[in-house]
Amino acid sequence: MARYVTEDLDQGLAIITLNRPDRRNAISMELAEDLVAAVARAANNPDARAVLLRGAGGSFCVGGDVKGMAEHGHGSGPIDHQVSELRRVMEVSRLLHDMRKPTIAALDGAAAGGGLSLALACDLRIAAKSTKITTAFAKVALPGDFGGTYLLTRLLGSARARELFLLCPLLTADEALAYGLVTKVVADDDLQRIAHEIALGLAQGPSLTLSYMKQNLNLAETASFEVCLDAEALQQTRATVTDDHREAARAFVEKRPPRFTGS
């Protein structure tokens, strides 16, 4: 049974909540283990067509459990074992990034360190107006984890990623929006509702087509233009024979909203 993560399914939307509010959802090894298992279940669940990641208690995630590290030390055993254990739970970022379903992070309170890395692994980030965002790693003498260096570099470019990692500025939500770090900023009281609405809209959208689209977008991060054109040609052709495309075409002609089934 999960200790630090809760899971819900609402009309095709998998809602995964970091549930360690007394530590502002700081990432302990136990929370990380629960989270990677929950995200893997969502990725493999055919009834889940999108994923919403959020934090309990008014904060998304402050990053690694630095207080716990100071009180109890880091992991035990040979360094190779510790590396293997950390890499195992860091797989959650790859799952969020690579799964063939839209992933959305709802950011409130703070998104820092490894918490920011988790948000960056998602396709969209909706932030409450008062949210504070920072890489934070250098302030605790750590180089970064959960894919933050990879994800921030590809999202904002090398120069901006170096600035945010080396200098650790504390960004407001509006500053993060100006940087291109978050997708949308909303009033604090509206965050959970709006993030849920956006995520649910994606869950009820043409999920097979969105899967093709996400594969193309991920490929574009590393592949050549020629390879991406080949992939677009393949996925576009596949999409034209889906029920959802036929429904969308009929709805366009009939001037009504489409009713997607995900097939």
Side-chain angles (χ1 to χ4, degrees), residues 44-86:
N44 294 319
N45 183 355
D47 294 327
R49 295 167 61 180
V51 175
L52 175 62
L53 182 65
R54 64 186 187 181
S59 191
F60 178 68
C61 177
V62 295
D65 187 1
V66 178
K67 183 177 179 181
M69 296 174 193
E71 291 174 348
H72 308 297
H74 293 268
S76 58
I79 190 168
D80 288 350
H81 172 74
Q82 294 183 54
V83 170
S84 176
E85 288 297 286
L86 180 57

Side-chain angles (χ1 to χ4, degrees), residues 27-108:
I27 304 172
S28 62
M29 182 57 72
E30 293 80 9
L31 183 146
E33 289 172 343
D34 287 352
L35 183 58
V36 71
V39 172
R41 281 191 288 270
N44 294 319
N45 183 355
D47 294 327
R49 295 167 61 180
V51 175
L52 175 62
L53 182 65
R54 64 186 187 181
S59 191
F60 178 68
C61 177
V62 295
D65 187 1
V66 178
K67 183 177 179 181
M69 296 174 193
E71 291 174 348
H72 308 297
H74 293 268
S76 58
I79 190 168
D80 288 350
H81 172 74
Q82 294 183 54
V83 170
S84 176
E85 288 297 286
L86 180 57
R87 178 60 184 87
R88 177 175 60 84
V89 295
M90 283 168 55
E91 186 71 1
V92 65
S93 293
R94 189 195 64 78
L95 289 170
L96 288 166
H97 182 271
D98 288 357
M99 76 165 71
R100 297 182 178 185
K101 304 173 184 185
T103 54
I104 303 91
L107 309 182
D108 56 352

